[in-house]
């Protein structure tokens, strides 16, 4: 399937064909509903493919100055920004790149409102509907108790909305449209008096639109309801959905050891190259493998670093692993290359693009200076 001929490990591979598959689904939603879909760059800032992405969707969403600039320079089109707070020294440059500036508090709104309006840009407020739809991982739940993200109804100053034309919420993570629907119901219940005063609403991210079991039709009904009932323009800013299952991390077996069970040491690191494996935590899918014990030869797959917990998980294979074998972790385009680091002096994985015609293009190679120059 993937030609390993000349690639060096460790490396990420972005799969153009799979990316296009996702983009076509997102474009379909845009075309059928008129909603605008923006790439949340936080999940996937691989700007080398922004020209391709721009052919299918309306633009980008940013979390601050650097992403705002990247979206502006590399993609163009719609560019929305949300940050929990903006720095005085950065706000004017941010305003210059973005059409929609979303604030997280009324104090930030008061501080910067006139500068945004003077530039002819739009102002939104992020609300917190205090409606959790996810259990278990509080780290990804902006509606968790004492959350700093979004303005709760209690703190929402209805009489201080001069210049505010939009509402933003982001409360989902890898979720289906039934949770979006329930969230919108909660928003109507809590902020129903505000919606008719607005021109646009941004549904945030966390919509797993390109996942096989995602109910796209229900999403489109949710969009149409906000459009028809309140006359709102609708934006969505998914990150994951853009590059879901559209990338790999290829690694090589460096050594085979044993401690109660066979252990394989790989030339990668969960802590450095796939931090969500430890942070979320989850066990990433690995091509041609099974659960521990499912196939004949089981191994614990470990990293090259000194961190005791830097282990990727237990997997099994039909054949024993050999030193020099290459393993392919799946779904490694998102929240991987944007989060990696050089802890332990680990090199950053190269980045390849597997083009639709099957050829491999190297996008980036990293070396010693990428490690040294961070310090
Ligand atoms: C993280 C985030 C997104 C993207 O979320 P995904 O889970 O990658 O879809 C969009 N908007 C905001 C405000 C976010 O914080």
């Amino acid at each position: 399937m993937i030609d390993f001929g000349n690639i060096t490990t460790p490396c990420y591979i972005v799969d153009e064909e799979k990316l296009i598959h996702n983009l076509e689904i997102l474009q379909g939603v845009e075309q059928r509903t008129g909603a605008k879909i923006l790439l949340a760059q936080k999940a996937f800032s691989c700007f080398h493919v922004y020209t391709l992405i721009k052919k299918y969707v309306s633009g980008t969403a940013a979390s601050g100055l650097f992403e705002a600039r990247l979206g502006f320079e590399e993609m163009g089109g719609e560019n929305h920004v949300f940050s929990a707070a903006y720095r005085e020294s950065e706000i004017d440059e941010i305003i210059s790149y973005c059409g929609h500036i979303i604030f997280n508090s009324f104090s930030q709104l008061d501080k910067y409102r006139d500068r945004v309006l003077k530039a002819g840009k739009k102002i939104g407020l992020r609300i917190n509907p205090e409606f959790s739809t996810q259990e278990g991982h509080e780290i990804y739940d902006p509606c968790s108790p004492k959350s700093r993200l979004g303005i709760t109804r209690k703190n929402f100053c209805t009489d201080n909305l001069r210049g505010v034309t939009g509402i933003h919420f982001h409360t989902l993570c890898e979720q289906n449209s039934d949770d979006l629907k329930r969230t919108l119901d909660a928003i109507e219940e809590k902020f129903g008096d505000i919606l008719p005063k607005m021109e646009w609403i941004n549904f945030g991210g966390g919509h797993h639109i390109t996942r096989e079991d995602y109910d796209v039709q229900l999403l489109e009904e949710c969009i149409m309801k906000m459009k028809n009932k309140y006359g709102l323009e609708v934006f969505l800013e998914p990150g994951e959905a853009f590059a879901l299952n559209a990338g790999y991390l290829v690694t090589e077996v460096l050594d085979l050891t044993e401690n109660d069970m066979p252990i394989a040491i790989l030339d990668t690191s969960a802590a450095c190259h796939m931090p969500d494996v430890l942070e979320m935590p989850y066990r990433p899918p690995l091509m041609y493998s099974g659960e521990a014990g499912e196939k004949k030869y089981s191994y614990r797959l470990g990293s090259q670093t000194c961190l005791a917990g830097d282990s990727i998980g237990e997997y099994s294979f039909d054949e024993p692993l050999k030193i020099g074998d290459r393993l392919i972790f799946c779904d490694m385009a998102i929240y991987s290359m944007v989060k990696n680091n050089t802890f332990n002096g680990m090199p950053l994985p190269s980045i390849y693009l597997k083009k639709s015609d099957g050829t491999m293009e190297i996008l980036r190679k990293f070396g010693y200076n990428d490690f040294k120059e961070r310090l």
Side-chain angles (χ1 to χ4, degrees):
M1 191 212 94
I2 293 171
D3 173 20
F4 289 129
N6 293 313
I7 66 170
T8 52
T9 62
C11 68
Y12 301 110
I13 300 175
V14 175
D15 189 323
E16 188 179 56
E17 205 176 333
K18 298 241 164 93
L19 187 61
I20 290 173
H21 167 79
N22 291 344
L23 291 170
E24 284 171 348
I25 294 171
L26 298 173
Q27 183 183 43
V29 175
E30 277 211 354
Q31 287 173 343
R32 286 185 296 274
T33 63
K36 290 192 171 139
I37 300 187
L38 317 174
L39 165 68
Q41 298 176 86
K42 182 182 74 181
F44 183 71
S45 321
C46 189
F47 61 90
H48 308 274
V49 292
Y50 277 15
T51 322
L52 173 71
I53 293 175
K54 186 64 184 39
K55 290 184 189 154
Y56 295 85
V57 298
S58 294
T60 47
S63 322
L65 176 60
F66 290 171
E67 287 182 1
R69 178 174 167 183
L70 190 71
F72 177 80
E73 291 182 350
E74 301 293 334
M75 193 175 314
E78 291 281 339
N79 195 8
H80 294 208
V81 63
F82 164 80
S83 178
Y86 299 97
R87 246 173 223 289
E88 174 82 45
S89 59
E90 294 178 351
I91 189 75
D92 288 322
E93 193 180 347
I94 288 174
I95 293 170
S96 77
Y97 297 136
C98 297
H100 293 65
I101 319 290
I102 296 149
F103 294 110
N104 192 46
S105 71
F106 279 89
S107 62
Q108 285 265 300
L109 171 66
D110 287 338
K111 188 168 181 193
Y112 298 125
R113 167 170 22 215
D114 289 331
R115 286 152 87 161
V116 180
L117 294 178
K118 191 160 164 242
K121 305 298 180 76
K122 298 199 166 136
I123 297 177
L125 288 176
R126 176 167 175 173
I127 57 166
N128 175 358
E130 299 173 87
F131 186 76
S132 286
T133 49
Q134 22 180 336
E135 283 139 39
H137 37 38
E138 205 168 273
I139 186 176
Y140 295 111
D141 184 4
C143 295
S144 60
K146 299 180 187 162
S147 168
R148 74 186 184 290
L149 298 169
I151 307 164
T152 58
R153 181 70 222 208
K154 191 164 159 250
N155 294 289
F156 197 88
C157 312
T158 318
D159 55 358
N160 185 12
L161 294 176
R162 181 176 62 84
V164 177
T165 55
I167 287 294
H168 174 283
F169 68 92
H170 169 74
T171 66
L172 306 178
C173 179
E174 303 188 338
Q175 278 162 283
N176 212 317
S177 42
D178 53 342
D179 287 329
L180 170 64
K181 184 178 185 310
R182 295 198 296 134
T183 300
L184 285 171
D185 289 345
I187 286 170
E188 282 195 273
E189 202 181 302
K190 276 216 162 83
F191 293 90
D193 56 324
I194 309 298
L195 297 177
K197 299 181 188 159
M198 296 292 127
E199 294 168 14
W200 54 274
I201 185 165
N202 185 324
F203 288 3
H207 317 280
H208 243 185
I209 306 173
T210 52
R211 199 175 71 200
E212 228 155 62
D213 67 341
Y214 188 87
D215 186 348
V216 175
Q217 198 185 329
L218 182 59
L219 166 68
E220 294 182 2
E221 284 166 24
C222 289
I223 294 169
M224 294 319 290
K225 181 172 176 191
M226 288 295 125
K227 282 186 70 155
N228 296 333
K229 189 165 171 187
Y230 301 103
L232 295 169
E233 181 177 22
V234 177
F235 298 95
L236 287 98
E237 46 182 34
E240 287 213 7
F242 273 85
L244 191 64
N245 293 316
Y248 316 93
L249 192 158
V250 185
T251 176
E252 189 171 301
V253 177
L254 296 180
D255 197 14
L256 296 163
T257 62
E258 177 94 26
N259 181 3
D260 272 343
M261 79 176 285
I263 296 169
I265 309 292
L266 311 179
D267 67 350
T268 186
S269 153
C272 300
H273 303 157
M274 37 186 143
D276 274 0
V277 165
L278 302 182
E279 191 177 295
M280 190 111 178
Y282 79 108
R283 176 183 174 279
L286 176 65
M287 239 180 243
Y288 315 120
S289 78
E291 299 288 330
E294 185 184 332
K295 291 172 183 275
K296 197 164 169 202
Y297 301 96
S298 292
Y299 294 83
R300 187 157 198 237
L301 300 183
S303 309
Q304 220 184 333
T305 69
C306 305
L307 174 68
D310 196 354
S311 171
I312 301 150
E314 292 181 9
Y315 296 82
S316 65
F317 304 88
D318 289 326
E319 302 290 329
L321 289 180
K322 300 183 303 297
I323 290 169
D325 279 352
R326 285 178 167 195
L327 302 180
I328 309 162
F329 289 99
C330 303
D331 198 17
M332 280 293 166
I334 44 181
Y335 293 107
S336 53
M337 49 190 103
V338 290
K339 282 186 116 172
N340 62 16
N341 62 76
T342 56
F343 168 63
N344 244 241
M346 283 292 287
L348 297 172
S350 317
I351 305 174
Y352 289 85
L353 177 66
K354 177 177 172 265
K355 307 235 254 196
S356 300
D357 64 11
T359 58
M360 286 285 205
E361 181 190 336
I362 183 144
L363 300 177
R364 277 295 303 243
K365 235 185 161 67
F366 302 93
Y368 173 67
N369 281 336
D370 297 291
F371 161 62
K372 186 182 175 195
E373 283 169 14
R374 296 166 52 117
L375 305 169

